């Protein structure tokens, strides 16, 4: 009965291409109040960033060795560097800088299958910070409190792709006073420092643009998902991977006609998202994934299944108004929950998602555009100014412990 009811609602409310309903779909809505204002902030003139010039072994040579780093979901570290080199917020005079940026690519160390290996990242970071502290006075002045680092690993500066190991490691001790710009975000987690800036993972803007379909295409798919439900190599039972949430999606809804879910990744993946009303964004090994970016860009209401997740630019993007949140333990009731959402609520979420400013904030385009993810990062840094005077250390004062951490991290890089 519920399937028939929702088929009727999809036909009547969302239409199958008639002009009136197409116009309704094409309308956009700006979020009212402070969130929308923050989203459209212009950071130029509000901060100055000094970009360290490091030896190429920390960045360019890594990319030359493996150009795949430009296309994976961790590539924000590369594009942020390129953006800042020509950004109007860059200053060549470190004495007038509000922030110091260290261009280092810790995820550009890939396996043959294209996954980043985190094991050299701590040594690379330590090596770069030792260089800063030896050659410039600015790191020692605050021990990194006015520095920021882009660390897009699964669990940020904990530098491991398995949560238990990441928690055991904790954030690299030398980065604990710095501002970390990272994709990982989960409340009350040792891998998220207070004051960190949570960003979206990199998704290729040009590729996504090439797969855009007409805006008046009807959304005839109710729920859409493509991806793993079980990590058969590392967690064949499915109880640990995604904390069992993905396995619960599959076991409960693999035969439900409202759910278009599969492990297949078709060539029409982007087009299919644009034909869907809801797109599932469950956690995997980490709570974040590129599906969140894809859903927002393609106007598909993200169904966020990741308890305690800290979402990208949460002070600027109204996630509660554009998305749907489902607790991991409630996944077996996902169909009941989604079919109970009133059509007028769905339409408003779609109008908000259709706002171009919402989509721009999730992307790292080349060249950069006003309001894009680069600018949202700068906005986040600007909002942390001015630095509290207590971050500046007395001459000779030390806070960080350079000798703590796993023995492997202390080896030269």
């Amino acid at each position: 009965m519920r399937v028939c009811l929702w088929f009727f609602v999809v036909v009547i409310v969302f239409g199958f291409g008639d002009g009136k309903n197409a116009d309704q779909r094409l309308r956009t809505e700006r979020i009212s109040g402070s969130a929308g204002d923050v989203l459209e902030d212009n950071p130029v003139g509000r901060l100055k960033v000094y970009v360290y010039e490091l030896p190429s072994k920390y960045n360019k040579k890594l990319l030359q060795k493996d150009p795949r780093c430009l296309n994976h979901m961790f590539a924000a570290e590369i594009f942020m560097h390129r953006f800042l080199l020509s950004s109007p917020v860059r200053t060549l005079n470190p004495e007038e800088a509000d922030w110091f940026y260290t261009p280092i690519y810790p995820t550009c160390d890939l396996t043959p299958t294209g996954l980043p290996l985190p094991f050299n990242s701590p040594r690379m970071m330590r090596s770069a910070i030792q260089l800063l502290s030896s050659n410039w006075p600015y790191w020692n002045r605050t021990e990194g409190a006015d520095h920021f680092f882009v660390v897009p690993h699964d669990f940020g500066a904990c530098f491991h792709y398995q949560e238990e190991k990441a928690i055991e490691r904790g954030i690299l001790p030398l980065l604990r006073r710095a501002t970390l710009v990272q994709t990982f975000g989960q409340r009350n987690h040792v891998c998220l420092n207070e004051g960190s800036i949570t960003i979206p993972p990199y998704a290729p803007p040009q590729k996504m643009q090439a797969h855009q379909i007409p805006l008046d295409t009807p959304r005839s798919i109710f729920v859409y998902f493509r991806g793993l439900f079980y990590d058969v190599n590392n967690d064949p039972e499915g109880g640990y991977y995604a904390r069992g949430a993905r396995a619960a999606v599959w076991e409960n809804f693999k035969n439900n006609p409202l759910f278009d879910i599969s492990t297949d990744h078709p060539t029409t993946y982007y087009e299919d998202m644009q034909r869907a009303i809801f797109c599932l964004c469950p956690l995997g090994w980490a709570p974040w994934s590129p599906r969140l970016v894809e859903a927002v860009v393609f106007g598909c209401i993200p169904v966020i299944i990741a308890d305690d997740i800290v979402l990208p630019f949460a002070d600027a993007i109204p996630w509660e108004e554009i998305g749907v949140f489902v607790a991991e333990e409630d996944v077996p009731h996902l169909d009941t929950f989604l079919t109970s959402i009133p059509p007028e609520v769905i339409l408003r979420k779609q109008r908000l998602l259709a706002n171009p400013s919402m989509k721009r904030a999730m992307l790292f385009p080349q060249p950069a555009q006003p309001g894009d993810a680069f600018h949202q990062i700068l906005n986040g840094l600007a909002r942390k100014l001015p630095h509290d005077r207590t971050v500046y250390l007395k001459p000779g004062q030390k806070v960080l412990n350079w000798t703590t951490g796993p023995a492997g991290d202390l080896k030269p890089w």
Side-chain angles (χ1 to χ4, degrees):
M1 184 66 181
R2 185 175 288 122
V3 173
C4 295
L5 173 62
W6 255 101
F7 180 80
F8 179 77
V9 170
V10 168
V11 172
I12 298 300
V13 177
F14 300 100
F16 279 91
D18 64 283
K20 180 179 178 181
N21 284 312
D23 289 343
Q24 187 180 38
R25 278 195 305 277
L26 290 172
R27 287 212 314 270
T28 68
E29 185 173 330
R30 182 187 182 278
I31 189 69
S32 60
S34 60
D37 297 333
V38 170
L39 189 66
E40 296 166 12
D41 276 353
N42 183 356
V44 177
R46 298 169 57 214
L47 77 167
K48 293 182 178 180
V49 177
Y50 181 75
V51 179
Y52 286 112
E53 292 187 21
L54 297 186
S56 60
K57 69 175 184 177
Y58 293 102
N59 41 62
K60 294 178 183 177
K61 281 191 176 178
L62 293 170
L63 183 56
Q64 290 170 357
K65 179 182 175 182
D66 198 336
R68 292 179 300 168
C69 297
L70 279 171
N71 299 310
H72 66 36
M73 59 185 172
F74 308 94
E77 61 188 7
I78 299 170
F79 291 109
M80 190 67 190
H81 182 198
R82 293 182 175 183
F83 163 74
L84 285 171
L85 289 176
S86 58
S87 170
V89 306
R90 183 188 182 191
T91 178
L92 300 179
N93 179 7
E95 293 296 334
E96 66 177 18
D98 301 297
W99 288 100
F100 295 82
Y101 166 68
T102 307
I104 180 171
Y105 303 165
T107 66
C108 192
D109 182 12
L110 305 182
T111 67
T113 58
L115 298 175
L117 289 168
F119 308 114
N120 288 325
S121 300
R123 294 163 54 216
M124 188 190 309
M125 279 288 185
R126 284 181 58 88
S127 172
I129 292 170
Q130 286 172 336
L131 186 68
L132 302 185
S133 65
S134 301
N135 291 275
W136 290 273
Y138 308 106
W139 175 271
N140 298 325
R141 190 174 62 181
T142 66
E143 286 202 317
D146 54 358
H147 289 55
F148 70 94
F149 294 79
V150 181
V151 282
H153 266 294
D154 293 82
F155 290 94
C158 287
F159 296 125
H160 209 285
Y161 53 84
Q162 293 179 343
E163 185 172 18
E164 286 184 355
K165 298 285 182 62
I167 291 173
E168 181 182 327
R169 291 183 54 84
I171 291 173
L172 186 71
L174 293 185
L175 293 177
R176 289 178 184 172
R177 285 173 61 85
T179 289
L180 303 179
V181 178
Q182 59 186 63
T183 46
F184 173 76
Q186 184 172 314
R187 287 186 291 275
N188 303 315
H189 199 287
V190 299
C191 298
L192 182 66
N193 259 354
E194 183 179 356
S196 296
I197 297 173
T198 309
I199 64 172
Y202 177 79
Q206 289 84 358
K207 181 180 178 181
M208 298 176 80
Q209 181 63 38
H211 288 266
Q212 291 278 359
I213 62 177
L215 290 174
D216 60 353
T217 302
R219 292 189 177 268
S220 54
I221 300 171
F222 187 56
V223 179
Y224 187 75
F225 176 79
R226 291 295 183 272
L228 292 177
F229 298 98
Y230 301 88
D231 186 334
V232 294
N233 294 320
N234 298 298
D235 181 37
E237 298 299 321
Y240 184 70
Y241 176 60
R243 297 197 283 258
R246 292 199 188 196
V249 169
W250 179 249
E251 295 302 330
N252 285 279
F253 305 112
K254 59 187 174 184
N255 296 318
N256 188 318
L258 290 178
F259 283 68
D260 188 346
I261 58 176
S262 172
T263 56
D264 296 334
H265 203 288
T267 56
T268 57
Y269 173 70
Y270 284 157
E271 289 83 355
D272 292 343
M273 293 189 86
Q274 294 168 80
R275 297 186 179 97
I277 297 171
F278 294 107
C279 287
L280 300 185
C281 301
L283 73 162
W285 283 114
W288 60 272
S289 85
R291 289 178 190 82
L292 199 63
V293 179
E294 296 160 350
V296 171
V297 169
F298 291 132
C300 186
I301 297 170
V303 180
I304 299 160
I305 307 170
D307 294 353
D308 296 321
I309 188 171
V310 176
L311 289 159
F313 309 131
D315 55 352
I317 295 177
W319 290 105
E320 294 286 348
E321 302 206 38
I322 65 173
V324 172
F325 291 80
V326 176
E328 293 165 24
E329 66 178 7
D330 292 336
V331 166
H333 311 294
L334 192 56
D335 56 342
T336 302
F337 184 70
L338 294 179
T339 55
S340 68
I341 299 175
E344 61 269 21
V345 173
I346 292 174
L347 286 169
R348 182 168 188 268
K349 290 181 184 293
Q350 290 177 328
R351 289 196 300 271
L352 289 170
L353 285 167
N355 190 323
S357 65
M358 210 75 69
K359 304 176 189 297
R360 276 196 302 270
M362 296 294 283
L363 294 173
F364 295 90
Q366 299 84 50
Q369 301 171 7
D372 62 16
F374 299 117
H375 290 84
Q376 299 305 326
I377 293 172
L378 294 182
N379 282 335
L381 293 169
R383 287 193 287 274
K384 291 166 68 70
L385 295 174
H387 297 295
D388 192 290
R389 295 197 60 82
T390 59
V391 307
Y392 297 97
L393 304 179
K394 297 175 183 178
Q397 182 183 3
K398 298 290 183 182
V399 177
L400 300 176
N401 187 341
W402 285 74
T403 61
T404 189
D409 291 0
L410 305 181
K411 296 178 180 178
W413 180 72

